[in-house]
Amino acid sequence: GDVTVSSKKINWSAIPVSSYAAYYAAAADAFNVVKLLLHCEGLDGSTTITDSSGQHTVVASGAVIDTAQSKFGTGSILFDGAGDYLTIADHADFNFGANPFTIDFWFRLTDVTTTHTFYSHYVDDDNYIEIQFVGSGGLNRLSVSGKNAPGGSYNIFNPNESPCGIVANQWYHLSVVRGWGGDADTVSINLNGASVKSASLVAGYDMDNFSAAVEIGRSQYGGPPRSYLNGWLDEVRLVKGQAAWTATFTPPTKPHVAAAIKRKLYRGPGTTGTLGDIYYLDTVDDNTTTTYTDNSSDATIGANDASIVDDYCPAPDSHYVDYLYGRAFWIDDDHPWRLYYAEAAGGSTAEENEAIIPMATEDENWDDLRVAGFEDCDPQGLVSWGTNLYIPLRHTWIKKQGNDPDTWSYKKTWCRYGVGAPYATAISMSPAGVIFVTTPDSGECGLALFNGQTAEMFTSPKLDYIFNTDLNKTYIHMCRGCVSGHYYHLLYPSGSNTDCDKWLAIDMRRFPDIRVAYWQGLSARCFYSYTQGTGFYVGTSDGYVKYLDSASTETMGCYIETHELIGGNPALANEEKVLRALHYNINTNSVNVSLAIYIDGTQATWPDGSTTKTITGSGDAVQVMRDFPPNFRGYNFRIYVYATSGLGTFTVYSPWSLSFEAKEG
């Protein structure tokens, strides 16, 4: 939030609260297992029923808050038995599958001679789950019944007991638990903490997706007339994935409460004082406090083992990044003979793991990386392939061999072709090796295939013509390349152009016999291929993303602003990531701009059930979107932005390699 500094004190305001504040989880329970929690509080006669789990909207049809009766707190929900009920839209939270679950609540009936329905998830007479009290005919029993396929009796389960001894106008605690007795397939009906009936699920049937709304207070089985609840409910809770009780228990003596939400505060580098630190400051023990005064001195910070970073230089402005054995390796322009690497946390103490950016040297002894026959290295990229990290130079390749920083070594390969286009190297499966654009060899450029020791030139009259007469060799470093399926694609500057203006595609299915085609006039800057190369997005300098697949062509009016190698390398797509913040810039002409996020191919859902968020911006200001749920975790993130009108310049500043979609109208 906002930070002000006065008299060596830091006053924080607008500290965000957790969006999961109302999620109930008992001690040692899995977090966020409660999918529905109705405390049934409010003004007398109110139809506003709040789900304190924060995940669902409850619609009342006739049922109201009644302050004349309650088990806990000041109210309960009153149902008149003639048409009152609650509706909750269908959601995956109510599809239990083969997993444990708990549904529990307090109830009070006005009479015990009729049937009362507490819970119903009903599609049709062959696909449903219902929890009822059956008083008709003097049965006085509790019943849980359900089906998940046509043509049979209760083929999920139908445990019930007669009689239960329930009387009118008295509060009872009812729970239905799957996982009773520690058996994953046993469902038990419990009255006031004691099992009145338990039974195993019918083999082969689970509580899978019932695509219908959940209703509380009425049955839908058999069509009208339906049975309704005549009485009161309080403290309604649904737990997915966990059996709240597995043996006889004492009914709750107080309302289910939200877990204590604790938020940790940290002081970052440059906040105040003289230490460049990342320091754990304090823990806020509630989820309501939004202000904090920090008057800790530098001495206090030092005494509390601040993670001091003064001894480590900032991360370099890296142009070459790759990953091997869990480490990130990079080379920057200012010190091209230094190999930086990020060590994986493997120490036995926190102090040992604080040094997250060690250098490949000791005691500031910067020895130049040299190879026999050459002076200072002039790296042209980093390529992680197999068990080795390869460093291409303009004249040859170097192999970093080994995984232990104390023992790894650098070996000169036998390759006599160097790299002239650092961002055009690409690993190919067939033919196996690294394809790269060479530096001039006897005055000629070309494509070559590196096998880890030597390289073989691609030979083709068409390629010879392109590289010798069409490619602008002065700007060969502008080339961009990638392998997709059996094709190698290259963007390159031709003639006197300094930017890439042609797209070269090489069919390698019959390698070493290759076929070549190229397109010109695209003004391409970057491309992304998918589905084994059958489709492409091509970002161009004329303000359009061009899309091509085998079935159609499409042009979208979205301005793409590329930031050179922001986020490093596409190898990041192989690392699991958690989305913490999204930095973006959007112009003021956009109207009703929506943002959707797809994680590993599935559209992500926020805790409130929404799948999109409205975003705004102004001028050139960079906006920051935070507070993403912790389950926004995965390997491949796709950002989809669309607007009613006016979608102009839109820029995403990302630490990862992302896929983008944009649509206007």
Side-chain angles (χ1 to χ4, degrees), residues 615-629:
I615 55 176
T616 59
S618 60
D620 295 327
V622 176
Q623 311 295 319
V624 183
M625 187 174 181
R626 302 186 187 275
D627 299 325
F628 289 96

PDB file of all heavy atoms in Angstrom, residues 615-629:
ATOM      1  N   ILE A 615     -10.283  -4.476 -16.553  1.00  0.00           N
ATOM      2  CA  ILE A 615      -9.054  -3.739 -16.299  1.00  0.00           C
ATOM      3  C   ILE A 615      -9.137  -2.377 -16.962  1.00  0.00           C
ATOM      4  O   ILE A 615      -9.830  -2.186 -17.959  1.00  0.00           O
ATOM      5  CB  ILE A 615      -7.820  -4.508 -16.807  1.00  0.00           C
ATOM      6  CG1 ILE A 615      -7.967  -4.859 -18.295  1.00  0.00           C
ATOM      7  CG2 ILE A 615      -7.604  -5.771 -16.000  1.00  0.00           C
ATOM      8  CD1 ILE A 615      -6.742  -5.534 -18.868  1.00  0.00           C
ATOM      9  N   THR A 616      -8.450  -1.420 -16.393  1.00  0.00           N
ATOM     10  CA  THR A 616      -8.430  -0.048 -16.899  1.00  0.00           C
ATOM     11  C   THR A 616      -7.001   0.463 -16.876  1.00  0.00           C
ATOM     12  O   THR A 616      -6.113  -0.146 -16.296  1.00  0.00           O
ATOM     13  CB  THR A 616      -9.328   0.868 -16.050  1.00  0.00           C
ATOM     14  OG1 THR A 616      -8.863   0.842 -14.681  1.00  0.00           O
ATOM     15  CG2 THR A 616     -10.776   0.411 -16.101  1.00  0.00           C
ATOM     16  N   GLY A 617      -6.790   1.613 -17.488  1.00  0.00           N
ATOM     17  CA  GLY A 617      -5.483   2.247 -17.478  1.00  0.00           C
ATOM     18  C   GLY A 617      -5.579   3.651 -18.020  1.00  0.00           C
ATOM     19  O   GLY A 617      -6.632   4.096 -18.494  1.00  0.00           O
ATOM     20  N   SER A 618      -4.470   4.369 -17.945  1.00  0.00           N
ATOM     21  CA  SER A 618      -4.460   5.737 -18.446  1.00  0.00           C
ATOM     22  C   SER A 618      -3.066   6.085 -18.926  1.00  0.00           C
ATOM     23  O   SER A 618      -2.074   5.809 -18.254  1.00  0.00           O
ATOM     24  CB  SER A 618      -4.897   6.717 -17.348  1.00  0.00           C
ATOM     25  OG  SER A 618      -4.033   6.645 -16.243  1.00  0.00           O
ATOM     26  N   GLY A 619      -3.015   6.704 -20.106  1.00  0.00           N
ATOM     27  CA  GLY A 619      -1.755   7.177 -20.635  1.00  0.00           C
ATOM     28  C   GLY A 619      -0.704   6.091 -20.716  1.00  0.00           C
ATOM     29  O   GLY A 619      -0.967   4.962 -21.104  1.00  0.00           O
ATOM     30  N   ASP A 620       0.522   6.472 -20.294  1.00  0.00           N
ATOM     31  CA  ASP A 620       1.629   5.529 -20.329  1.00  0.00           C
ATOM     32  C   ASP A 620       1.878   4.883 -18.975  1.00  0.00           C
ATOM     33  O   ASP A 620       2.863   4.177 -18.788  1.00  0.00           O
ATOM     34  CB  ASP A 620       2.918   6.241 -20.767  1.00  0.00           C
ATOM     35  CG  ASP A 620       2.818   6.744 -22.202  1.00  0.00           C
ATOM     36  OD1 ASP A 620       2.146   6.068 -23.000  1.00  0.00           O
ATOM     37  OD2 ASP A 620       3.403   7.798 -22.501  1.00  0.00           O
ATOM     38  N   ALA A 621       0.987   5.129 -18.005  1.00  0.00           N
ATOM     39  CA  ALA A 621       1.201   4.598 -16.664  1.00  0.00           C
ATOM     40  C   ALA A 621       1.106   3.078 -16.665  1.00  0.00           C
ATOM     41  O   ALA A 621       0.212   2.503 -17.269  1.00  0.00           O
ATOM     42  CB  ALA A 621       0.175   5.180 -15.699  1.00  0.00           C
ATOM     43  N   VAL A 622       2.033   2.446 -15.979  1.00  0.00           N
ATOM     44  CA  VAL A 622       2.019   0.995 -15.849  1.00  0.00           C
ATOM     45  C   VAL A 622       1.124   0.614 -14.677  1.00  0.00           C
ATOM     46  O   VAL A 622       1.298   1.101 -13.563  1.00  0.00           O
ATOM     47  CB  VAL A 622       3.440   0.446 -15.633  1.00  0.00           C
ATOM     48  CG1 VAL A 622       3.406  -1.056 -15.397  1.00  0.00           C
ATOM     49  CG2 VAL A 622       4.309   0.761 -16.842  1.00  0.00           C
ATOM     50  N   GLN A 623       0.135  -0.228 -14.952  1.00  0.00           N
ATOM     51  CA  GLN A 623      -0.785  -0.689 -13.916  1.00  0.00           C
ATOM     52  C   GLN A 623      -0.271  -2.010 -13.346  1.00  0.00           C
ATOM     53  O   GLN A 623       0.397  -2.782 -14.035  1.00  0.00           O
ATOM     54  CB  GLN A 623      -2.189  -0.899 -14.495  1.00  0.00           C
ATOM     55  CG  GLN A 623      -2.699   0.266 -15.325  1.00  0.00           C
ATOM     56  CD  GLN A 623      -2.899   1.512 -14.500  1.00  0.00           C
ATOM     57  OE1 GLN A 623      -3.394   1.446 -13.387  1.00  0.00           O
ATOM     58  NE2 GLN A 623      -2.505   2.647 -15.039  1.00  0.00           N
ATOM     59  N   VAL A 624      -0.596  -2.261 -12.094  1.00  0.00           N
ATOM     60  CA  VAL A 624      -0.188  -3.491 -11.432  1.00  0.00           C
ATOM     61  C   VAL A 624      -1.428  -4.191 -10.892  1.00  0.00           C
ATOM     62  O   VAL A 624      -2.191  -3.607 -10.130  1.00  0.00           O
ATOM     63  CB  VAL A 624       0.799  -3.239 -10.279  1.00  0.00           C
ATOM     64  CG1 VAL A 624       1.245  -4.570  -9.671  1.00  0.00           C
ATOM     65  CG2 VAL A 624       2.000  -2.463 -10.768  1.00  0.00           C
ATOM     66  N   MET A 625      -1.632  -5.412 -11.314  1.00  0.00           N
ATOM     67  CA  MET A 625      -2.742  -6.225 -10.828  1.00  0.00           C
ATOM     68  C   MET A 625      -2.169  -7.290  -9.897  1.00  0.00           C
ATOM     69  O   MET A 625      -1.299  -8.056 -10.285  1.00  0.00           O
ATOM     70  CB  MET A 625      -3.473  -6.873 -12.001  1.00  0.00           C
ATOM     71  CG  MET A 625      -4.744  -7.594 -11.625  1.00  0.00           C
ATOM     72  SD  MET A 625      -5.604  -8.173 -13.109  1.00  0.00           S
ATOM     73  CE  MET A 625      -7.050  -8.931 -12.352  1.00  0.00           C
ATOM     74  N   ARG A 626      -2.658  -7.302  -8.654  1.00  0.00           N
ATOM     75  CA  ARG A 626      -2.100  -8.204  -7.654  1.00  0.00           C
ATOM     76  C   ARG A 626      -3.197  -9.117  -7.097  1.00  0.00           C
ATOM     77  O   ARG A 626      -4.285  -9.195  -7.625  1.00  0.00           O
ATOM     78  CB  ARG A 626      -1.449  -7.418  -6.519  1.00  0.00           C
ATOM     79  CG  ARG A 626      -0.331  -6.471  -6.967  1.00  0.00           C
ATOM     80  CD  ARG A 626       0.345  -5.843  -5.771  1.00  0.00           C
ATOM     81  NE  ARG A 626       1.295  -4.818  -6.145  1.00  0.00           N
ATOM     82  CZ  ARG A 626       2.555  -5.052  -6.477  1.00  0.00           C
ATOM     83  NH1 ARG A 626       3.004  -6.302  -6.473  1.00  0.00           N
ATOM     84  NH2 ARG A 626       3.375  -4.063  -6.811  1.00  0.00           N
ATOM     85  N   ASP A 627      -2.868  -9.767  -5.995  1.00  0.00           N
ATOM     86  CA  ASP A 627      -3.817 -10.585  -5.234  1.00  0.00           C
ATOM     87  C   ASP A 627      -4.420 -11.703  -6.071  1.00  0.00           C
ATOM     88  O   ASP A 627      -5.621 -11.963  -5.999  1.00  0.00           O
ATOM     89  CB  ASP A 627      -4.930  -9.709  -4.625  1.00  0.00           C
ATOM     90  CG  ASP A 627      -4.364  -8.683  -3.671  1.00  0.00           C
ATOM     91  OD1 ASP A 627      -3.386  -9.008  -2.985  1.00  0.00           O
ATOM     92  OD2 ASP A 627      -4.900  -7.576  -3.610  1.00  0.00           O
ATOM     93  N   PHE A 628      -3.594 -12.332  -6.906  1.00  0.00           N
ATOM     94  CA  PHE A 628      -4.080 -13.505  -7.620  1.00  0.00           C
ATOM     95  C   PHE A 628      -4.200 -14.675  -6.640  1.00  0.00           C
ATOM     96  O   PHE A 628      -3.404 -14.797  -5.707  1.00  0.00           O
ATOM     97  CB  PHE A 628      -3.132 -13.880  -8.758  1.00  0.00           C
ATOM     98  CG  PHE A 628      -3.167 -12.915  -9.898  1.00  0.00           C
ATOM     99  CD1 PHE A 628      -2.241 -11.891  -9.997  1.00  0.00           C
ATOM    100  CD2 PHE A 628      -4.147 -13.019 -10.877  1.00  0.00           C
ATOM    101  CE1 PHE A 628      -2.277 -11.000 -11.049  1.00  0.00           C
ATOM    102  CE2 PHE A 628      -4.182 -12.134 -11.935  1.00  0.00           C
ATOM    103  CZ  PHE A 628      -3.257 -11.119 -12.016  1.00  0.00           C
ATOM    104  N   PRO A 629      -5.181 -15.523  -6.813  1.00  0.00           N
ATOM    105  CA  PRO A 629      -5.335 -16.670  -5.902  1.00  0.00           C
ATOM    106  C   PRO A 629      -4.112 -17.574  -5.971  1.00  0.00           C
ATOM    107  O   PRO A 629      -3.438 -17.656  -7.005  1.00  0.00           O
ATOM    108  CB  PRO A 629      -6.583 -17.391  -6.440  1.00  0.00           C
ATOM    109  CG  PRO A 629      -7.306 -16.357  -7.234  1.00  0.00           C
ATOM    110  CD  PRO A 629      -6.246 -15.472  -7.822  1.00  0.00           C
TER     111      PRO A 629
END
